[in-house]
Amino acid sequence: MKRTFYIAAVFIASLTLSGCGDGVELPALNVETDLDKIPLPEDQTGLEEIQLKPESEPFKHGDDGVYALHTQEDFDRIRERLHLDTDNTGNSGESPWKEGYVPLRDNNLARKVTTMNCTATPEIVRGAYGEYKDNYMNAAHAAARAYQLGLRWKIEKDDEYAQAAVELLNSWASTTTAIIGNSNKSLAAGIYGYQFAIAGEILRTYDGWAPEDFKKYQDWMLNLWYPENKSFLEYHHGANDLHYWANWGLCNVASTMAIGILTDRRDIYNEGVTHFQIGKTNGRLSRAIYHDFPGTNYAQLQESGRDQGHTLMCVGLLGIICQLTYNQGDDFFAYKDNLFLKACEYAAAYNYAMKEDLPFVTYVWQKQGPHGIEPISQEVLGAGGRGDNRPILALPYYHYLKIKEIPESRMENIKIGIDKLFPEGGGNNYGPNSGGYDALGFGTLMYAR
C-alpha cells in the first residue's frame, strides 16, 4: 500500500544515506529534495475542518459546568455511581466506577499529605547539562498531585483536598522561574505544562484560592510555560519541521490549548487549534496519525514504526487534546471521519489484541543530523514497549461508544485493551519513571458512562 509519495521519500533517503551502512542501494534520481514539497496524505485537501472561534467568544469554565477535561455532569455521575452520599468509602459503588475509584483514593499523591517529592524548584531541568541535573520529576509529581487532589475535591466535596492542591500550585508559581536543559526541556514544557494548566482549571472555582493568587498562577503559566510551547512549535530548536517525533509536538499543542483556556486567551487557544490542523510539525493531527488505511478501521500513527511506548504516549496526548477541545465546542473526535478512533484501534490491535497481520506503510523519519537531514526508513511496526500498561484508552472508548454511539464492533481491539488495562490509575501507579506521568490517567473513573 505504498503510494508515490512514500516511494519518492525512500528514494530521497537512499541518496542521503548512501555510504551510511543501512543497506539501502537505490540509484540516484532527479527527485524532489525539498521535504515541504513532498506531498503527504493529509495534503490532499488542505482544509481546516474546525473553524476558529472569535477571540471575543468566552471559554467554558467551572461556572458553566466545565472543568478542563471534565464537567460537573461527570462529577455528579461519579458521586452517584459510587454511592458517596450513603457510603463515603465508595466500596458499595457500582462497576466500573467502584474499581476506577480505588487507584485514586489509595494513591500516595492524592492524599492530603504525601511522602512523594513535589517540592517546587527554581528551575525545572529536563536534559541535564553542565552543573544542572535533571529534577523534572518534582514537577511531574506536583502536576499529577494537583490534578488528583482536584478530582478528590470535586468528587468527595472535601475542601481540604482543594486547599492542599492550591498551596502546592501557589508554591510552584512563586518559586519556579525557568525551564532549562537540552532540547528535552520542550518535553517538560509540553507535558507538565498541560498538566499544571488542567489542574489549575479544575481548581479555579475553589473559594479558598485567593483571586490574586489565582491571577499569579495564570501569569506563571502564561509567562513561563506558554513561551516554551510556542518556541518549540514554531522553531523546534532549529531542526527541520519533521525531525521531532509526534509526541513532542502533541504535548506542546496540548499545553498551548490548556493555557489558553486557563488564562482566557482565545488567541493562544486558537494557535493550538491551528497547529493541530495545519501546523508544520508532527504535532499536526494528520501527521501524528500518519496514514488512514482505506476500507479499514485502522490508521497508522507517526511513531508506529519507532516503538510502542511512544506510540501509546501519542494516543494519550491525542485523547487529551480531543477532550479539551470537545468541552470547548470543537469536535476533534469526529475530525476526518473519526480518524482518532482508527488510530486507537490500530494501536490497540498491535499492543493488546497482539495482532501480527496489520497493514503498514513505509515511514521515512526526517532525522536532523549534523550535516543536514538524514532520512531513516521504517518498514515495519516497532516492537519496543509493546503492550505497555498506560491509562489512555478509556477516554476515547467511552466517548465514541456512549457519546458518538459508534458500535462496539468498530472498537473490538480497543475493548480488548480496556479489559487488559482495567482499571486505569495514574502517576505512580505506573512506576517511578517519567513514562508513568505522561498521562494524567484515571480514565475508568472519569469517563465511564
Side-chain angles (χ1 to χ4, degrees):
M1 201 172 281
K2 300 178 178 65
R3 300 181 181 181
T4 303
F5 42 80
Y6 299 112
I7 297 172
V10 173
F11 280 137
I12 295 168
S14 71
L15 296 177
T16 305
L17 286 171
S18 59
C20 292
D22 69 335
V24 180
E25 296 292 342
L26 295 175
L29 299 178
N30 184 25
V31 297
E32 179 59 68
T33 58
D34 184 344
L35 293 173
D36 287 332
K37 294 180 181 179
I38 299 173
L40 293 169
E42 74 276 8
D43 291 331
Q44 294 173 359
T45 62
L47 299 177
E48 293 180 78
E49 296 183 13
I50 304 295
Q51 299 302 308
L52 301 182
K53 294 181 172 62
E55 293 183 18
S56 59
E57 182 163 337
F59 287 107
K60 299 175 183 177
H61 294 300
D63 292 338
D64 307 300
V66 176
Y67 299 85
L69 300 177
H70 314 300
T71 66
Q72 188 59 49
E73 179 184 350
D74 294 332
F75 291 120
D76 291 343
R77 178 182 64 253
I78 292 164
R79 279 192 60 82
E80 178 182 354
R81 296 305 180 93
L82 288 177
H83 304 166
L84 290 186
D85 289 329
T86 56
D87 175 8
N88 61 13
T89 68
N91 291 333
S92 65
E94 305 168 34
S95 293
W97 298 271
K98 172 184 175 180
E99 293 84 358
Y101 179 54
V102 173
L104 176 65
R105 184 193 65 196
D106 296 346
N107 199 295
N108 192 340
L109 286 169
R111 297 170 184 165
K112 294 173 184 177
V113 177
T114 182
T115 60
M116 299 190 70
N117 192 351
C118 302
T119 304
T121 56
E123 303 94 6
I124 296 171
V125 184
R126 182 160 182 167
Y129 70 100
E131 64 182 277
Y132 295 102
K133 306 303 180 185
D134 281 337
N135 66 3
Y136 62 91
M137 288 307 299
N138 283 37
H141 294 159
R145 175 166 168 74
Y147 174 74
Q148 293 179 28
L149 290 171
L151 295 187
R152 294 201 71 172
W153 168 57
K154 289 297 297 178
I155 293 170
E156 300 173 33
K157 299 184 178 181
D158 184 341
D159 284 355
E160 290 187 23
Y161 291 112
Q163 186 60 37
V166 163
E167 289 175 1
L168 180 65
L169 297 183
N170 286 344
S171 173
W172 278 84
S174 299
T175 303
T176 306
T177 59
I179 303 169
I180 61 177
N182 57 26
S183 62
N184 284 280
K185 73 174 187 173
S186 292
L187 288 174
I191 297 168
Y192 314 127
Y194 90 74
Q195 294 179 358
F196 270 122
I198 287 172
E201 184 67 12
I202 292 174
L203 291 153
R204 73 183 295 151
T205 59
Y206 171 53
D207 290 340
W209 202 349
E212 61 271 21
D213 288 337
F214 179 64
K215 177 61 166 58
K216 184 175 181 179
Y217 188 76
Q218 288 178 305
D219 290 342
W220 181 65
M221 296 297 308
L222 193 61
N223 297 327
L224 175 62
W225 297 86
Y226 165 63
E228 294 288 344
N229 305 144
K230 186 177 181 70
S231 176
F232 178 81
L233 293 175
E234 291 189 358
Y235 305 112
H236 20 280
H237 302 284
N240 72 82
D241 295 334
L242 302 182
H243 167 71
Y244 285 96
W245 298 99
N247 74 86
W248 293 67
L250 290 174
C251 67
N252 280 281
V253 166
S255 184
T256 298
M257 290 174 169
I259 290 170
I261 295 169
L262 176 74
T263 61
D264 288 296
R265 288 284 300 272
R266 176 70 65 177
D267 58 323
I268 292 176
Y269 173 85
N270 282 347
E271 287 177 11
V273 172
T274 298
H275 196 97
F276 200 44
Q277 295 188 95
I278 60 172
K280 292 183 178 181
T281 77
N282 288 315
R284 175 176 174 170
L285 186 150
S286 50
R287 287 182 177 173
I289 303 175
Y290 180 68
H291 185 78
D292 184 358
F293 294 98
T296 76
N297 199 34
Y298 292 145
Q300 178 179 319
L301 289 106
Q302 187 258 351
E303 303 209 37
S304 293
R306 180 190 183 191
D307 64 57
Q308 296 311 303
H310 288 96
T311 298
L312 295 173
M313 178 183 178
C314 288
V315 171
L317 289 168
L318 285 162
I320 289 290
I321 292 170
C322 289
Q323 185 69 10
L324 272 178
T325 53
Y326 183 80
N327 281 347
Q328 296 298 330
D330 297 318
D331 190 358
F332 280 106
F333 285 105
Y335 191 78
K336 294 187 181 295
D337 191 26
N338 303 313
L339 183 62
F340 178 44
L341 171 62
K342 298 177 184 178
C344 293
E345 184 69 356
Y346 184 80
Y350 187 64
N351 283 278
Y352 305 118
M354 293 296 172
K355 293 187 176 178
E356 302 291 349
D357 58 346
L358 297 175
F360 187 88
V361 296
T362 297
Y363 178 73
V364 181
W365 174 33
Q366 310 298 340
K367 180 182 179 182
Q368 185 77 45
H371 305 295
I373 299 172
E374 302 173 356
I376 297 176
S377 180
Q378 297 173 346
E379 304 287 343
V380 297
L381 281 156
R386 189 178 186 185
D388 271 5
N389 186 10
R390 288 183 177 247
I392 58 170
L393 288 182
L395 189 162
Y397 174 76
Y398 285 107
H399 181 90
Y400 286 114
L401 182 68
K402 297 295 186 177
I403 296 176
K404 290 289 189 291
E405 297 184 339
I406 291 176
E408 194 170 57
S409 59
R410 288 189 57 189
M411 293 175 267
E412 60 176 350
N413 298 305
I414 298 174
K415 182 61 168 63
I416 291 171
I418 287 289
D419 292 341
K420 286 189 175 182
L421 300 173
F422 181 86
E424 292 185 1
N428 53 308
N429 293 137
Y430 299 93
N433 299 321
S434 61
Y437 293 84
D438 289 340
L440 289 167
F442 305 103
T444 302
L445 175 67
M446 299 309 304
Y447 300 110
R449 291 173 176 268

